[in-house]
Amino acid sequence: MNIHEYQAKAIFKEYGIPVPKGFLARSALEAFELACELERGGAKKFVVKAQVHAGGRGKAGGIKICASLDEVERAAGEMLGKKLVSHQTGAGGKPVKSVLVDEATDIAKEFYVGFAIDRSNYAPALIASKEGGVEIEEVAKRAPEKVLTFLLSPHSEVDGFIVRRILSAFGLERAQTQKLTDILQSLYRIFKSKECTLAEINPLALTSDGNLLAIDAKLNFDDNALFRHPELRVLRDPDQDDSLEVLARRYGVDYVRMDGLIGCMVNGAGLAMATMDLVDGVGLRPANFLDIKGGAQKESVVNAFKLLSQDPKVKVVLINIFGGIVRCDMVAQGLVDALGEVDVKAPMVVRLVGTNENDGRKILEGSGRKFFVVKTLADAKSAVQKALNK
Ligand code: GDP
Ligand code: MN
């Protein structure tokens, strides 16, 4: 689960990571009022930041540095109520319903620090780069030597050795050691206690007066650990989520939307992933991951059809069912019944194998609906391609 920058900064503050003074505004007038308050506190410049669940806002017009209160009001007015399209949002963009008004910082240098799980090494990793403010993936490609990675134990802190290595890579003075130590240790404490998949400060700024400040804040939480964190669950903003994924969550099916043309409906997570590989293997792209779970009852098939039929990208539906405990004839009946409730326009390729597969196929073929019923994965491949070319 993702949260907004302003929410992540509130958590940073709670854990002692320095962030700029700032407030959240939901209207241009409110942005003006809050900038007034910052001005009374001594701020001379402001930065208005669109709150969306995506990075790359700077280049997309979602970050504006303002020299006056009027400019703040104008910038907020321009961002609010629109969709922001950055290279991380997808073509549809994300709605801007609030902006963060921060006191602007005089930045001397921008760094990157972040914690993530290194899956191939089974360990949390601290990633740091003296090139901040740009995407770390891009730095890693262009200049991998500028990205430092340290594997950590989940049971210990960021130690002095690591801090000194980063300090010297950043070209910071010894006087900054304590500040950097505190920031890294606090960020790691957040990462562990909130069960994050990512905790990132980009940029971490060295200010012109020698302070370190988190200009941006990004926290990503492990969905599977959220049941332990009621304090995080309330931070969810469904406006920022894909609407079909929100619906799928409500239905209780595992669904991840992707950008291809082949809508996949499968029973079992492993088979669902294998099916996506199959689609990918013939040069096509899946439109989604969808696991209707082992039982494949009519209700879950109906819900799955509702999801697939509402995705305008889906050109072919590939249904791949393995009848182990579940019987294929029951699944086939579920498919036919579900189609009585949901209108699916895209052609459907169905592979049914396992218990009672012949009965299942008979039910599909006798249903009066147009299914492309196949037996093997190879046949499924060619049927999908054929259906797509029609
Ligand atoms: P992102 O583009 O979505 O990652 O948004 P950020 O909050 O990281 O801001 C993008 C860039 O805007 C930063 O890397 C900075 O270069 C610049 N920026 C943001 N806030 C300030 C500020 O207070 N002062 C200055 N000088 N630049 C800022
Ligand atoms: Mn950033």
Side-chain angles (χ1 to χ4, degrees):
M1 186 185 91
N2 253 323
I3 57 171
H4 286 293
E5 175 194 6
Y6 80 91
Q7 296 167 319
K9 278 181 168 167
I11 295 175
F12 277 17
K13 240 174 145 171
E14 200 185 308
Y15 280 72
I17 297 177
V19 296
K21 246 188 249 156
F23 303 103
L24 186 77
R26 296 185 194 277
S27 72
L29 174 60
E30 201 185 350
F32 184 94
E33 289 167 346
L34 296 172
C36 274
E37 195 169 330
L38 289 173
E39 195 179 54
R40 282 199 298 279
K44 302 208 166 51
K45 283 202 277 175
F46 316 92
V47 50
V48 176
K49 313 184 80 177
Q51 295 301 288
V52 291
H53 285 185
R57 295 168 301 169
K59 288 181 196 144
I63 307 279
K64 284 235 173 72
I65 295 185
C66 305
S68 71
L69 300 174
D70 288 332
E71 256 185 76
V72 168
E73 184 170 14
R74 208 174 319 128
E78 277 164 17
M79 290 178 202
L80 285 163
K82 302 218 179 80
K83 284 200 170 174
L84 185 78
V85 182
S86 85
H87 68 281
Q88 287 187 11
T89 59
K94 301 255 179 192
V96 184
K97 302 222 167 150
S98 60
V99 295
L100 180 63
V101 184
D102 268 357
E103 171 170 9
T105 306
D106 275 328
I107 298 178
K109 269 184 174 176
E110 298 190 19
F111 308 116
Y112 175 98
V113 296
F115 292 86
I117 303 286
D118 181 338
R119 288 166 191 275
S120 40
N121 286 299
Y122 316 110
L126 163 55
I127 302 151
S129 175
K130 68 171 174 184
E131 253 196 70
V134 287
E135 259 178 82
I136 195 68
E137 291 87 350
E138 195 226 307
V139 182
K141 249 187 239 157
R142 176 169 42 81
E145 74 285 354
K146 288 187 183 155
V147 179
L148 302 178
T149 305
F150 305 91
L151 293 182
L152 304 167
S153 155
H155 306 294
S156 56
E157 296 201 322
V158 180
D159 64 37
F161 168 77
I162 292 176
V163 177
R164 282 192 297 280
R165 286 275 308 274
I166 295 176
L167 198 78
S168 100
F170 285 4
L172 291 174
E173 322 220 319
R174 278 187 176 240
Q176 309 279 8
T177 312
Q178 195 53 48
K179 283 180 196 144
L180 186 64
T181 305
D182 290 346
I183 289 173
L184 292 174
Q185 292 192 341
S186 298
L187 192 60
Y188 194 35
R189 272 201 294 131
I190 295 173
F191 180 79
K192 288 191 289 188
S193 61
K194 307 283 184 194
E195 302 187 80
C196 296
T197 51
L198 178 71
E200 182 183 89
I201 308 179
N202 187 24
L204 171 67
L206 173 67
T207 64
S208 50
D209 53 5
N211 270 316
L212 287 174
L213 205 56
I215 296 295
D216 195 3
K218 182 166 187 180
L219 295 177
N220 238 315
F221 307 109
D222 182 348
D223 289 334
N224 295 313
L226 279 177
F227 73 97
R228 280 191 285 261
H229 299 281
E231 86 285 7
L232 299 177
R233 289 203 300 270
V234 298
L235 301 180
R236 189 190 286 284
D237 179 358
D239 289 343
Q240 297 291 318
D241 292 343
D242 180 277
S243 61
L244 289 181
E245 289 188 359
V246 173
L247 195 59
R249 205 156 47 229
R250 176 70 187 73
Y251 290 153
V253 293
D254 289 333
Y255 172 83
V256 181
R257 199 158 171 202
M258 299 174 75
D259 55 7
L261 306 177
I262 315 300
C264 300
M265 180 166 130
V266 189
N267 65 331
L271 188 60
M273 289 202 274
T275 306
M276 292 166 76
D277 283 349
L278 170 96
V279 170
D280 190 69
V282 290
L284 299 169
R285 300 261 312 145
N288 60 276
F289 168 96
L290 195 163
D291 172 13
I292 57 170
K293 315 274 167 73
Q297 307 290 349
K298 179 186 157 195
E299 195 196 347
S300 52
V301 178
V302 168
N303 291 339
F305 274 151
K306 282 186 187 162
L307 292 171
L308 294 181
S309 62
Q310 284 180 65
D311 182 348
K313 289 192 309 303
V314 171
K315 294 290 175 281
V316 178
V317 173
L318 171 59
I319 301 168
N320 192 7
I321 303 289
F322 176 74
I325 296 166
V326 60
R327 295 176 357 238
C328 288
D329 54 332
M330 194 204 84
V331 176
Q333 196 57 54
L335 289 174
V336 174
D337 292 348
L339 286 172
E341 291 185 27
V342 195
D343 187 25
V344 181
K345 296 244 161 47
M348 280 178 280
V349 175
V350 189
R351 174 182 177 250
L352 271 183
V353 229
T355 314
N356 293 359
E357 60 182 60
N358 289 329
D359 295 342
R361 276 190 219 111
K362 267 182 220 144
I363 291 172
L364 293 181
E365 280 156 3
S367 69
R369 300 213 165 238
K370 186 111 195 75
F371 292 105
F372 297 90
V373 186
V374 298
K375 194 162 183 178
T376 65
L377 286 178
D379 290 345
K381 277 185 199 176
S382 37
V384 166
Q385 277 167 323
K386 224 186 277 169
L388 199 60
N389 292 332
K390 269 200 188 132

